[in-house]
Amino acid sequence: MDNFWVNALWSITPTVLVGGTFWFIMRALLRADRTERKVYSEIEAEERAKLGLDAPTRDKPAV
C-alpha cells in the first residue's frame, strides 16, 4: 500500500507543477497589462491637461 501512495504522488506532481507555473505566468501577465493600462491612462490624462483638452468621451464600450 505504501508503494501505491508514492506512485500516486509522483503521478500528480508534474501536473501540479505545470499548473502552478501556468497560473503564476498568467497572473504576472494580467497584472503587468493592468499596470500598463493604468500608467498609460495617467500619462494620457497629463498630456491632455497640458494641452487643455477635455477627457475623451466613451460613446462605445472598449473592446
Side-chain angles (χ1 to χ4, degrees):
M1 191 67 165
D2 189 32
N3 197 18
F4 170 78
W5 289 110
V6 172
N7 287 334
L9 182 64
W10 278 108
S11 297
I12 275 192
T13 300
T15 303
V16 170
L17 291 176
V18 169
T21 303
F22 177 77
W23 173 81
F24 181 75
I25 290 171
M26 291 305 294
R27 179 176 152 246
L29 286 172
L30 292 174
R31 284 185 176 191
D33 182 58
R34 178 178 35 196
T35 303
E36 183 179 1
R37 288 175 188 252
K38 179 182 170 189
V39 170
Y40 182 79
S41 295
E42 291 171 0
I43 292 171
E44 185 178 6
E46 288 175 9
E47 293 298 320
R48 287 183 168 277
K50 284 181 188 176
L51 296 174
L53 299 174
D54 294 332
T57 57
R58 297 271 177 150
D59 294 335
K60 298 178 183 176
V63 178

